[in-house]
Amino acid sequence: DYETVNEATTSSSSTTSCCNGKENWLCLQCGLLLCSRYEHGHAKLHWEDTKSAELEDNTMMSSPLLNNNSSNENNASCNGDKKEATGHCIAISLADLSVWCYECNAYLHHDSLTSLMKRLEALKFGSSSCGGESNHDGDEAME
């Protein structure tokens, strides 16, 4: 959502007070802007906290006390319908525009990220009036 990205990258209201370093990550789920694991680790803690909350929600939903029918068969089917908890696992670095998945413990490269990446590049580096690629210093890329 470009509006969320615009707001998060131009406003300090979504950044915690101690996450004003050079390495901030934008949560692509909720738009929080938090520092990297090499600063204070708040982006990673956000993922861990949201995953824990999802796991707790899943546990609460599968509780036999919440089911009208407490037969083992009903509980088994209820447990099988649980959504896997991943938390807010995908974030983008505003330093280098890399996309990281905390759940996979890997960088992500996918076609579905192309429009978002182009928008973030325009916000970070400005729109290029000439059609050539930029090396992010404002100079044309060498051919």
Side-chain angles (χ1 to χ4, degrees):
D1 177 50
Y2 293 140
E3 196 170 302
T4 303
V5 169
N6 248 343
E7 185 177 318
T9 56
T10 58
S11 168
S12 61
S13 63
S14 61
T15 309
T16 63
S17 60
C18 61
C19 294
N20 294 321
K22 295 178 181 179
E23 181 70 30
N24 287 324
W25 289 77
L26 177 66
C27 174
L28 293 184
Q29 179 79 26
C30 68
L32 276 177
L33 192 58
L34 301 163
C35 61
S36 80
R37 64 180 83 197
Y38 303 110
E39 297 277 330
H40 300 286
H42 292 128
K44 185 175 185 225
L45 285 173
H46 174 65
W47 163 65
E48 291 169 347
D49 290 346
T50 56
K51 183 174 181 173
S52 292
E54 285 180 17
L55 286 169
E56 187 174 309
D57 286 348
N58 282 344
T59 303
M60 294 284 293
M61 294 306 291
S62 64
S63 169
L65 298 174
L66 295 177
N67 296 325
N68 289 335
N69 178 355
S70 61
S71 72
N72 288 338
E73 183 180 334
N74 186 40
N75 288 338
S77 67
C78 181
N79 290 339
D81 293 339
K82 285 193 303 186
K83 177 185 159 204
E84 184 179 339
T86 57
H88 294 186
C89 61
I90 301 175
I92 187 163
S93 167
L94 297 186
D96 64 5
L97 300 182
S98 57
V99 180
W100 181 260
C101 176
Y102 287 101
E103 188 69 19
C104 303
N105 199 33
Y107 288 101
L108 300 180
H109 304 280
H110 194 272
D111 291 341
S112 66
L113 297 169
T114 302
S115 61
L116 175 64
M117 297 305 292
K118 285 182 180 184
R119 179 65 178 140
L120 287 171
E121 287 172 3
L123 287 169
K124 181 171 175 112
F125 303 114
S127 298
S128 177
S129 58
C130 42
E133 291 185 28
S134 171
N135 67 4
H136 306 300
D137 291 330
D139 300 327
E140 288 294 309
M142 301 285 276
E143 295 188 304

